[in-house]
Amino acid sequence: MPDDVVEARAAAEEASAFAHPPVEPDVTTAYGDHPDQVIDFYVPRAQVGPGGSVPLVVVLHGGAWRAPYDRRHITPFADYLAQRGFAVANVEYRRGTGSADPQGTSPVAGRWPDTFDDVAAALDALPALVREAVPQADARRTVLTGHSAGGHLALWAAARHVLPADAPWRTADSAWLRGVVALAPIADFAVAEKLDVCGGAARQLLGGQERFEERQPFADPALLLPTGVATTLVQGRTDLVVPQAVAEAYADAAAKAGEVVGLTLLEDVGHFPLIDPAADACAVVAEEIAQLAW
């Protein structure tokens, strides 16, 4: 397919994904004192399965860990999952400072260690918060999902039990987690850097080139394998934002570590249809989540 056709399709896909109005949550709860330390909860809108308690899907939004991109853009996707019978927790977290990177081209991606502090704190607080906000949800049947930079955070959160021993976010196990469905994730930092994904966002997240290699073992999902957690990556073949090679590198790293990771590649699909309720790709994502959750 000619490059101009792919680029035009990508632009149309992005416009479609962002055309949906934000969907207000049923409950918003704080897990810390910072304004970004909140979780939006969506109660299930339909009954699926045998009845009784329902699985919980934790959503981590993308946006290259940069400040302008908050959880609001992924609320239609969160509501889409609620319409399919899931309880949903849409997590906000601290992102970049809002200042430009040294080249002045875009806001700095992420904060070290704040972004990781927040995701860890949110997940640690989640069981108690779920009991209050969505009592019909079963936190023992939790599936993590995330898009792009949020896909990275979902993979990272599922690997906290294999972090280096001196990592402040390390946990004892991942028994509470049914699985991960990572959507076009920035899953391998070395490959992402080589391809300059999102303008070097992974490098900025770790504090710049001078800290990259030092901090990579604490943050790069491709170095935190095997996890023992059921994991599926969903990736569009025509993704221009996070290319297919990044997901493939993670799957290859998992295989070398003795772990099988699912990789669902979607033809003629770019970056944004995965979270666009109007796109067929979004239905594929929901089905991948259901296979792990139910």
Side-chain angles (χ1 to χ4, degrees), residues 7 13 38 62 69 90 104 111 115-116 121 139 204 206 213 240 276:
E7 290 172 4
E13 289 174 340
V38 294
Y69 306 101
N90 186 18
R111 303 189 205 183
T115 299
F116 297 92
Q204 294 170 26
L206 301 193
E213 289 188 6
L240 301 180
D276 181 358

Side-chain angles (χ1 to χ4, degrees), residues 91-160:
V91 177
E92 190 57 279
Y93 53 88
R94 283 174 287 181
R95 305 170 305 288
T97 60
S99 58
D101 65 25
Q103 287 74 42
T105 55
S106 60
V108 171
R111 303 189 205 183
W112 181 278
D114 306 41
T115 299
F116 297 92
D117 287 346
D118 285 1
V119 172
L123 292 177
D124 290 345
L126 202 56
L129 297 179
V130 167
R131 283 195 294 271
E132 293 293 323
V134 194
Q136 63 267 57
D138 183 357
R140 296 168 300 177
R141 288 192 286 158
T142 297
V143 174
L144 298 180
T145 191
H147 179 238
S148 197
H152 157 264
L153 292 172
L155 293 170
W156 176 84
R160 288 172 61 199

Side-chain angles (χ1 to χ4, degrees), residues 125-253:
L126 202 56
L129 297 179
V130 167
R131 283 195 294 271
E132 293 293 323
V134 194
Q136 63 267 57
D138 183 357
R140 296 168 300 177
R141 288 192 286 158
T142 297
V143 174
L144 298 180
T145 191
H147 179 238
S148 197
H152 157 264
L153 292 172
L155 293 170
W156 176 84
R160 288 172 61 199
H161 60 294
V162 296
L163 283 168
D166 57 340
W169 313 292
R170 186 179 168 99
T171 55
D173 59 51
S174 60
W176 56 278
L177 187 58
R178 279 288 179 90
V180 182
V181 179
L183 315 176
I186 305 178
D188 184 308
F189 279 9
V191 175
E193 275 299 283
K194 192 177 298 183
L195 298 176
D196 195 35
V197 169
C198 299
R203 179 179 66 253
Q204 294 170 26
L205 174 68
L206 301 193
Q209 191 61 55
E210 65 278 6
R211 308 302 295 271
F212 184 79
E213 289 188 6
E214 169 196 345
R215 291 173 172 172
Q216 194 179 359
F218 296 86
D220 186 346
L223 302 182
L224 299 172
L225 290 161
T227 66
V229 176
T231 300
T232 296
L233 312 185
V234 183
Q235 175 74 44
R237 285 189 179 274
T238 56
D239 192 329
L240 301 180
V241 179
V242 184
Q244 177 179 330
V246 180
E248 290 177 331
Y250 178 86
D252 288 345

